[in-house]
């Protein structure tokens, strides 16, 4: 009795080496949050950066949440405040 040959499975999707898979998340707030952290690290003691809401691609709440997440991740203590036109960010003082 002859064995039936099974057809080779043809992948539906492209494959790649697992070592080449990117491991970091590039969220939609990455660019603005990175720019804010770059500016914050250049601040003089007691200074804050002033970011117009018009320059944000999202709501102030979502950007503040992204800043908070990144602050905890980097272990950089930041504070934020907002008025009707601007978001303010500064380093917390010990």
């Amino acid at each position: 009795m002859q064995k039936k040959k099974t057809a080779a499975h043809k992948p539906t999707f492209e494959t790649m080496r697992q070592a080449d898979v990117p491991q970091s998340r590039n969220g939609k707030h990455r660019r603005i949050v990175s720019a804010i952290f770059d500016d914050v690290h250049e601040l003089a003691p007691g200074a804050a950066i002033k970011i117009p809401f018009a320059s944000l691609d999202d709501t102030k709440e979502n950007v503040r949440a992204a800043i908070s997440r990144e602050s905890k991740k980097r272990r950089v203590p930041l504070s934020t405040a907002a008025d009707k036109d601007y978001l303010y960010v500064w380093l917390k003082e010990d």
Side-chain angles (χ1 to χ4, degrees):
M1 183 186 250
Q2 289 184 340
K3 291 185 179 180
K4 292 183 181 179
K5 288 188 178 181
T6 55
H9 175 73
K10 186 175 181 180
T12 306
F13 302 102
E14 181 180 349
T15 60
M16 64 185 293
R17 291 176 2 111
Q18 186 177 1
D20 295 334
V21 175
Q23 298 297 316
S24 65
R25 180 177 181 269
N26 292 330
K28 67 180 180 178
H29 301 111
R30 181 175 186 235
R31 190 170 357 137
I32 188 70
V33 171
S34 293
I36 289 168
F37 272 82
D38 289 345
D39 289 355
V40 163
H41 286 298
E42 299 298 320
L43 286 175
I49 58 173
K50 181 179 176 182
I51 307 157
F53 288 135
S55 69
L56 303 177
D57 291 336
D58 206 344
T59 65
K60 71 178 176 184
E61 293 83 8
N62 289 344
V63 173
R64 284 175 96 171
I67 291 168
S68 177
R69 285 189 303 272
E70 190 66 16
S71 172
K72 289 175 182 150
K73 179 180 168 186
R74 293 186 187 194
R75 295 184 179 162
V76 176
L78 293 182
S79 291
T80 63
D83 60 20
K84 66 182 184 117
D85 297 315
Y86 296 95
L87 173 64
Y88 305 92
V89 182
W90 65 95
L91 285 168
K92 285 184 183 177
E93 307 245 346
D94 291 332

